């Protein structure tokens, strides 16, 4: 299959031409990658069983990992869900369009190939003008997980999509770099109280300010083999670079010292080593390939740069990666959720390492 790559221009007519092409491709059962405000999505007609199945094949994605149905207006919700609770309506009013996915009870029109065999459907309305245009052009319902090979870091640039999907999908729309950089918050609205199944830009505090009590799936804190997550897709490896990754946590000075010691040992064994640092600590690492992920004073930059940095390490052939920990700030939970999965929950305590305990 030839994958057509369209660089979206600044002229409205040029964009509309490509949007129509993308919409027609999706209506005919094809696959189109396009930007959202979170990451690039790999779109298919969500109501077309065979088209949704193509997503799993292109990504190498397990078939019990549900897809998110993207809509472009509130009127579309009634066609695909059996009930739309008052709390869900309130969240939609407060956060749509935006990086929030809600799980609701589905109607029969939504095929189980889209929902991973479940009787619920994940729905969101993206906050990106090109994404909304494509969804409308495609008929209003586009299933769109991240446009990457399953398990790899999600794409925040169109070239990331091309790396993973060239020859596997019909079309890529290059809309530039995304704004947020990590996937949407997922909240299960089919239960009471509602439960966060994946942290993201919309935080627990923001949700509770809108609708009151919200729980967090306790499995987010454990390894998949220790406690089964409620969302099927959360049990699979995600976001991982090709090199082995470790997270080093502890007080700032201990973390820097521990990482430098680990890097020195790796280099003695002729390994290519990468370090995920911040603007504040970048100069503290004299050896290895050091990448600043952003400033701790602005954790949104850290979230936006995370996946791109992991892919840069892949491009450089890095075999071992050591990352600082990022627990603090409004985005801390979401960032650490992705980092822990990328590192297969491989966490080192800097103080113990300093004492020779690791």
């Amino acid at each position: 299959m030839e994958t057509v790559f369209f660089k979206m221009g600044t002229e409205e007519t040029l964009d509309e031409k490509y949007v129509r092409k993308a919409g027609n491709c999706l209506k005919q059962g094809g696959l189109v990658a396009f930007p959202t405000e979170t990451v690039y999505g790999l779109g298919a007609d969500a109501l077309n069983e065979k088209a949704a199945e193509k997503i799993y094949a292109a990504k190498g994605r397990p078939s019990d990992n549900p897809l998110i149905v993207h809509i472009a207006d509130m009127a579309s919700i009634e066609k695909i869900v059996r009930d739309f609770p008052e709390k869900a309506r309130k969240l939609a009013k407060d956060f749509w369009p935006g990086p929030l996915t809600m799980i609701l009870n589905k109607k029969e029109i939504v095929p189980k190939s889209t929902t991973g065999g479940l009787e619920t459907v994940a729905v969101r309305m993206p906050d990106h003008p090109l994404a909304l245009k494509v969804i409308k052009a495609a008929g209003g319902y586009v299933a769109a997980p991240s446009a990457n090979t399953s398990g790899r870091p999600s794409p925040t640039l169109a070239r990331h999509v091309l790396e993973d999907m060239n020859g596997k999908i019909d079309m890529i729309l290059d809309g530039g770099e995304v704004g947020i950089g990590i996937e949407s918050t997922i909240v299960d609205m089919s239960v009471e109280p509602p439960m966060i199944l994946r942290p993201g830009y919309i935080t627990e505090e923001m949700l509770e300010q809108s609708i009151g009590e919200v729980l967090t799936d306790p499995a987010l804190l454990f390894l998949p083999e220790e406690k089964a997550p409620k969302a099927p897709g959360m049990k699979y490896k995600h976001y991982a670079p090709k090199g082995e990754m470790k997270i080093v946590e502890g007080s700032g000075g201990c973390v820097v010292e521990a990482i430098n010691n680990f890097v020195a040992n790796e280099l003695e064994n002729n390994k290519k080593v990468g370090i995920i640092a911040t603007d504040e600590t970048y100069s503290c690492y004299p050896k290895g390939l050091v990448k600043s992920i952003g400033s701790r004073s602005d954790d949104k930059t850290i979230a936006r740069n995370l996946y791109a940095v992991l892919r840069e390490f892949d491009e450089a052939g890095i075999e071992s990666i050591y990352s600082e920990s990022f627990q603090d700030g409004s985005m801390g939970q979401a960032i650490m959720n992705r980092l822990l999965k990328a590192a297969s929950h491989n966490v080192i305590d800097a103080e113990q390492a300093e004492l020779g305990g690791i």
Side-chain angles (χ1 to χ4, degrees):
M1 175 189 296
E2 179 185 0
T3 299
V4 180
F5 189 96
F6 289 129
K7 177 76 172 177
M8 303 304 285
T10 56
E11 296 180 25
E12 186 70 21
T13 53
L14 184 64
D15 281 359
E16 291 295 342
K17 173 185 175 182
Y18 294 154
V19 166
R20 285 195 299 272
K21 286 180 179 289
N24 289 334
C25 179
L26 290 165
K27 286 178 177 178
Q28 293 167 14
L31 300 181
V32 177
F34 57 89
T36 75
E37 79 280 26
T38 57
V39 298
Y40 271 76
L42 178 57
D45 182 348
L47 306 185
N48 180 332
E49 183 176 7
K50 297 299 182 184
E53 288 173 355
K54 288 182 181 179
I55 289 179
Y56 294 101
K59 285 176 61 70
R61 181 184 176 103
S63 60
D64 67 343
N65 193 349
L67 308 175
I68 295 174
V69 178
H70 291 61
I71 60 173
D73 54 60
M74 286 302 300
S76 299
I77 195 78
E78 304 294 346
K79 182 177 178 179
I80 58 173
V81 303
R82 284 194 280 114
D83 53 276
F84 196 37
E86 188 57 39
K87 286 185 178 180
R89 293 180 186 276
K90 181 66 165 62
L91 290 181
K93 179 177 181 294
D94 290 346
F95 300 113
W96 277 1
L100 176 68
T101 295
M102 290 190 277
I103 295 178
L104 301 156
N105 293 310
K106 79 176 189 73
K107 286 184 176 177
E108 288 300 315
I109 193 172
V110 184
K112 287 191 175 180
S113 60
T114 296
T115 66
L118 302 177
E119 291 298 333
T120 53
V121 60
V123 188
R124 95 173 182 101
M125 187 189 301
D127 187 15
H128 193 289
L130 179 55
L132 293 172
K133 284 183 178 182
V134 170
I135 294 164
K136 289 177 182 177
Y141 303 93
V142 175
S146 54
N148 57 294
T149 300
S150 190
R152 290 209 69 203
S154 298
T156 56
L157 294 166
R159 66 177 178 83
H160 298 160
V161 182
L162 194 62
E163 287 171 12
D164 286 9
M165 293 290 134
N166 191 23
K168 299 177 183 178
I169 66 176
D170 298 281
M171 188 181 301
I172 299 171
L173 300 182
D174 181 358
E177 185 178 8
V178 302
I180 292 176
I182 59 173
E183 299 82 357
S184 61
T185 304
I186 298 179
V187 184
D188 188 352
M189 302 303 295
S190 69
V191 298
E192 182 60 38
M195 180 176 288
I196 297 172
L197 304 187
R198 182 177 70 190
Y201 185 90
I202 305 299
T203 64
E204 180 178 358
E205 181 181 6
M206 294 163 68
L207 295 168
E208 289 189 333
Q209 286 177 353
S210 175
I211 60 171
E213 183 183 13
V214 175
L215 302 180
T216 296
D217 185 357
L220 292 177
L221 305 175
F222 297 91
L223 289 165
E225 58 266 25
E226 293 174 347
K227 189 173 182 66
K230 187 173 181 183
M234 298 303 285
K235 68 186 178 184
Y236 294 110
K237 183 179 179 182
H238 286 292
Y239 324 124
K242 294 175 182 176
E244 183 182 9
M245 184 170 167
K246 299 179 178 71
I247 301 167
V248 182
E249 61 181 18
S251 61
C254 288
V255 167
V256 169
E257 185 175 354
I259 289 177
N260 278 328
N261 288 337
F262 287 129
V263 170
N265 289 334
E266 298 272 22
L267 292 174
E268 285 181 6
N269 293 317
N270 297 314
K271 281 197 171 183
K272 299 185 72 173
V273 190
I275 301 168
I276 296 180
T278 62
D279 293 350
E280 292 82 0
T281 59
Y282 180 85
S283 61
C284 297
Y285 300 106
K287 297 179 180 179
L289 179 59
V290 187
K291 298 279 186 182
S292 173
I293 200 172
S295 172
R296 287 190 183 273
S297 65
D298 182 5
D299 57 0
K300 291 181 175 61
T301 65
I302 292 172
R304 186 164 60 248
N305 294 331
L306 173 59
Y307 294 143
V309 164
L310 294 179
R311 283 183 175 265
E312 286 169 10
F313 283 136
D314 284 351
E315 291 168 4
I318 295 299
E319 299 167 274
S320 294
I321 302 168
Y322 292 90
S323 175
E324 296 176 4
S325 180
F326 301 93
Q327 302 281 3
D328 300 327
S330 63
M331 297 286 288
Q333 184 187 39
I335 293 166
M336 286 306 298
N337 171 261
R338 274 61 171 190
L339 272 178
L340 286 167
K341 285 185 170 295
S344 298
H345 288 256
N346 195 342
V347 180
I348 298 171
D349 183 291
E351 282 81 0
Q352 286 188 4
E354 192 174 89
L355 295 171
I358 297 177

